[in-house]
Amino acid sequence: MSGPFKRRSSLKALPPIGNIRKTSIRRQSSVGLPSKSPLAAQEVPWDVLDRCILPVICCHGAAFTLSNILNVLQVSQVTTFTLFVFFTIVVLGLVFFYHNLKITAAGKAVLITGCDSRIGSALARHLDEQGFTVFAGFQTLSDNPLAEELKEICSARMHVLQLDVTNETQILAASLSVVEHLPDGAHGLWAVVNAASWVALGEIEWIPLQVIKKATEINFLGPTRVTQIMLPLVRRARGRIIYMTSGLCRVADPVRGIHCGLLAAIESEAECLRKELRSRGVDVVVVAPGELTSGNTWVSDQIILSQAKDMWKQLCQEQRLEYGEKYFETAIRSLEKYSKSPETDLAPVLKALNDAVTRTFPMIKYTPISRQEKMKAFVADYFPRAVYDLVYS
């Protein structure tokens, strides 16, 4: 199992607690949330670097080719390095100009699912401040203080919706509400941000089937159905579909198998959808924050242990004998890292989501992750598996 753990009271002594939920947004500006985590200082604009790498490589190839041609023809004795510097300056200037173009918010509408989460609520507030018409979808709207808070502090352009992404009727009702409240002159829905999620943690053999089904419905089937129903509106506006996944969803680690598998499936779906919609002027964007830089606490320490107690009860006798309670508790304690840093900085994730919505030419994938997470993902993607296992196992 991965991650450190501390010895505490036995799992048997824990009281039952409800399902895994995310922490609520605090009552403060979405762009000024406090940062008490050392990870906040480690954020790097990976997306800009990714956008620049290929043009710089092409500049080098073009400089080498042109320099050789000019030297062979004896037209000029200009060096490859000189041409490379000239081409790089010109091309990077064009890339940054192209990268920073933004659309105007006036007359554009955005639908956000999963506003029960800290990220979803903060993004809704942030886009409202910029002048977008925002449809904030909540899994549970009735008596929800977050929904009341959004209606109280945001402009009249903010519309809160009951939108359980696993409920077909609610998705259809939300689409009708969006059509009814589109801003004047809008041809359709500018963006759909699929931010609803539900985390299932634990070794694959231990997770109950009903938990796997719920995670699949919320993390994969829900966003897929929301996209299907909202796509005609997005296509009319020549807008974009945005998915939130994880920067480490393609990194194999224990206890995260179900969660990473579902998020990897969404990323693969997004790649296919991007090709399908390219000719129709619709962008498909993936925003993949890191585990501990996503700006929210996945689960609390008590909830982790309560869920562990439920999982232990549902294991058969053979499984209990095979693993043993000591190993099981050790594995569960490794999940404590997901319950720490409740005040991690929202700014990198919000900036990536904001760029995905507002940039004229968005990146196909934004990765607001730390250096350690970027290195881990890089090793997993480009090095032999034995190297990854040696470094991180």
Side-chain angles (χ1 to χ4, degrees), residues 169-186:
T169 302
Q170 291 185 16
I171 299 175
L172 292 171
S175 68
L176 294 177
S177 181
V178 168
V179 172
E180 183 179 353
H181 295 97
L182 282 175
D184 295 337

Side-chain angles (χ1 to χ4, degrees), residues 291-306:
E291 290 178 335
L292 302 180
T293 57
S294 58
N296 61 278
T297 303
W298 279 6
V299 286
S300 71
D301 188 60
Q302 278 189 313
I303 291 178
I304 286 176
L305 299 178
S306 176

Side-chain angles (χ1 to χ4, degrees), residues 29-65:
S29 172
S30 61
V31 293
L33 291 165
S35 173
K36 297 181 181 179
S37 169
L39 288 174
Q42 299 175 0
E43 298 301 334
V44 176
W46 302 111
D47 309 310
V48 177
L49 296 177
D50 291 342
R51 178 160 265 179
C52 293
I53 287 175
L54 183 59
V56 169
I57 293 174
C58 292
C59 286
H60 182 270
F64 178 80
T65 303

Side-chain angles (χ1 to χ4, degrees), residues 41-88:
Q42 299 175 0
E43 298 301 334
V44 176
W46 302 111
D47 309 310
V48 177
L49 296 177
D50 291 342
R51 178 160 265 179
C52 293
I53 287 175
L54 183 59
V56 169
I57 293 174
C58 292
C59 286
H60 182 270
F64 178 80
T65 303
L66 182 59
S67 175
N68 284 332
I69 291 175
L70 293 177
N71 289 335
V72 168
L73 298 178
Q74 297 184 346
V75 174
S76 172
Q77 296 299 315
V78 63
T79 64
T80 299
F81 179 75
T82 301
L83 289 175
F84 172 68
V85 171
F86 174 75
F87 288 160
T88 300

